[in-house]
Amino acid sequence: QVQLVESGGGLVQAGGSLRLSCAASGRTFSTYPMGWFRQAPGEDREFVARVGWSANATYYSNSVKGRFTISRDSAKNTVYLQMNSLKPEDTAVYYCAAAGRYSGAAYYTQGAYNYWGQGTQVTVSS
């Protein structure tokens, strides 16, 4: 089993930065691809970024590419999402997810992940 706990959310002005952290429990964390998703009020949960078991394999949604950076520190069992140049449309609850088994689902879909954190709120004011 894997438990995920996000932190680092908060209120920031447009153009500012935040770094989200996702602390994972479980000995096999380092072998799991990890993702970040977000859900704005009244919207579906959407893919933000993914990092493979190799920290060099990263993927981003078009809406955050060039502004957000996903990384992982396997020694600390933690995944990070560095968010720069934040915009009001980035306001959402951000969720960390782990792909603990192969599902066949595309990496940018929720079905590719079987462990989820409780979410952390990010609010960007204009």
Side-chain angles (χ1 to χ4, degrees):
Q1 290 292 324
V2 173
Q3 290 186 324
L4 305 174
V5 179
E6 302 98 333
S7 61
L11 173 64
V12 64
Q13 288 188 332
S17 298
L18 281 175
R19 188 176 81 157
L20 305 183
S21 299
C22 173
S25 64
R27 292 178 293 176
T28 56
F29 162 80
S30 62
T31 66
Y32 293 170
M34 301 292 295
W36 285 96
F37 285 72
R38 67 186 182 186
Q39 187 167 19
E43 302 289 335
D44 293 334
R45 192 172 297 188
E46 66 171 2
F47 170 76
V48 175
R50 171 184 169 108
V51 60
W53 64 268
S54 167
N56 294 326
T58 57
Y59 308 87
Y60 299 92
S61 68
N62 288 335
S63 61
V64 307
K65 194 175 297 182
R67 299 188 298 123
F68 291 11
T69 302
I70 189 170
S71 61
R72 68 189 303 163
D73 185 337
S74 293
K76 296 182 178 179
N77 275 7
T78 302
V79 174
Y80 303 99
L81 186 67
Q82 177 67 44
M83 306 185 296
N84 298 328
S85 302
L86 282 161
K87 305 175 181 179
E89 51 264 43
D90 294 318
T91 295
V93 177
Y94 282 70
Y95 297 90
C96 174
R101 55 45 180 152
Y102 178 71
S103 68
Y107 69 86
Y108 49 85
T109 64
Q110 296 183 60
Y113 306 85
N114 59 325
Y115 297 108
W116 292 84
Q118 82 290 348
T120 185
Q121 176 70 47
V122 171
T123 303
V124 184
S125 63
S126 57

